[in-house]
């Protein structure tokens, strides 16, 4: 499963990218507003530090506006992916942009039939929002399983990009459910390394090694 970081903080993304474990980035208007700075310069900086897909979201709500914004975003870097809302206008724009060779990420997906429509529109990515479904008392992971079954039934190439990830357990469950990618906040990414037995085991190894009085270098 590919791991994307859900952030618009260019400096933090550059620091995480050096791990070699970051496959892409997703941004949205809220994250961009939180990060501050010039929108286009921020996207250029992110694209320069992370070579994988970088989702940049349009803010227009009409078909023609989405096309114009999507095409402009694609001029910033080859790895920009146009992020579109799962609305009738958004899916129409997705079909046109994908036909023109511009990869699209259809976002704000909350049902399997919405994901079916996105696949029929030719979306490169579909972003089902797990955490928000869980917040409403629904099973976000069941949505991943349903989308996976539908896409496998009909050999749709659209990649399932699990979004609204809140915990390391969400990442694990999304992988088990068959998500192709998961986009996660930086704090959740850093938590994936952690396990108390790893920490205690390392401490024991280092203590025993120190007792030998030897060095490797």
């Amino acid at each position: 499963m590919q791991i994307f970081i859900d952030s618009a903080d260019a400096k933090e993304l550059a620091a995480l990218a050096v791990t070699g474990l970051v496959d892409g980035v997703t941004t949205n208007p809220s994250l961009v507003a939180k990060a501050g700075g010039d929108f286009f310069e921020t996207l250029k900086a992110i694209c320069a530090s992370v070579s994988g897909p970088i989702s940049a979201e349009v803010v227009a709500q009409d078909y023609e506006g989405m096309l114009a914004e999507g095409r402009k975003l694609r001029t910033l870097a080859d790895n920009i992916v146009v992020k579109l809302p799962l609305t009738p206008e958004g899916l129409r724009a997705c079909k046109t942009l994908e036909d023109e060779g511009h990869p699209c990420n259809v976002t704000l997906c909350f049902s399997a039939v919405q994901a079916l429509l996105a696949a029929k529109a030719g979306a490169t990515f579909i972003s089902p929002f797990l955490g928000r479904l869980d917040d409403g008392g629904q099973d976000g992971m069941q949505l991943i399983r349903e989308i996976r079954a539908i896409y496998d039934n009909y050999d749709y190439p659209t990649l399932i990009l699990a979004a609204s990830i809140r915990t390391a357990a969400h990442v694990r469950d999304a992988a088990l459910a068959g998500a192709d990618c998961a986009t996660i906040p930086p704090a959740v990414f850093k938590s994936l390394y952690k396990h108390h037995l790893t920490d205690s085991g390392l401490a024991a190894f280092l203590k025993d090694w120190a007792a030998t009085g030897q060095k490797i270098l």
Side-chain angles (χ1 to χ4, degrees):
M1 183 176 71
Q2 293 186 326
I3 295 178
F4 292 4
I5 304 298
D6 195 33
S7 172
D9 185 328
K11 290 184 179 179
E12 184 169 36
L13 287 167
L16 295 177
V18 299
T19 65
L21 302 174
V22 176
D23 298 297
V25 173
T26 58
T27 69
N28 62 47
S30 297
L31 291 172
V32 171
K34 180 181 178 181
D38 181 81
F39 176 56
F40 296 109
E41 292 305 315
T42 296
L43 286 176
K44 289 177 182 178
I46 293 171
C47 289
S49 62
V50 180
S51 60
I54 310 298
S55 288
E57 190 163 346
V58 303
V59 292
Q61 296 302 297
D62 63 292
Y63 170 73
E64 293 295 343
M66 290 180 186
L67 289 184
E69 291 183 359
R71 289 165 181 154
K72 181 174 182 178
L73 290 170
R74 283 282 293 160
T75 66
L76 299 178
D78 291 339
N79 54 332
I80 286 283
V81 173
V82 181
K83 199 172 181 184
L84 300 160
L86 210 160
T87 63
E89 296 291 272
L91 291 178
R92 183 184 172 199
C94 174
K95 180 67 168 64
T96 300
L97 289 169
E98 287 280 359
D99 286 347
E100 294 176 355
H102 304 305
C104 296
N105 174 5
V106 176
T107 190
L108 293 170
C109 174
F110 294 96
S111 76
V113 290
Q114 285 182 317
L116 174 61
L117 294 178
K120 289 182 67 64
T124 299
F125 298 97
I126 182 67
S127 290
F129 275 42
L130 309 182
R132 293 194 193 181
L133 283 172
D134 290 350
D135 292 344
Q138 301 181 61
D139 183 357
M141 227 45 75
Q142 178 59 25
L143 175 57
I144 297 294
R145 291 188 284 269
E146 291 174 359
I147 297 172
R148 179 79 277 155
I150 290 172
Y151 284 7
D152 288 349
N153 280 347
Y154 301 103
D155 293 324
Y156 285 123
T158 300
L159 300 174
I160 302 171
L161 202 176
S164 189
I165 296 283
R166 306 283 175 75
T167 64
H170 262 162
V171 178
R172 175 200 65 203
D173 292 345
L176 288 170
D180 298 290
C181 331
T183 184
I184 61 181
V188 174
F189 176 80
K190 294 172 185 176
S191 77
L192 299 182
Y193 292 97
K194 302 297 290 182
H195 195 286
H196 70 279
L197 292 178
T198 301
D199 295 339
S200 62
L202 180 58
F205 288 159
L206 293 176
K207 180 181 178 180
D208 291 343
W209 175 252
T212 70
Q214 302 179 69
K215 294 183 179 180
I216 295 177
L217 295 176

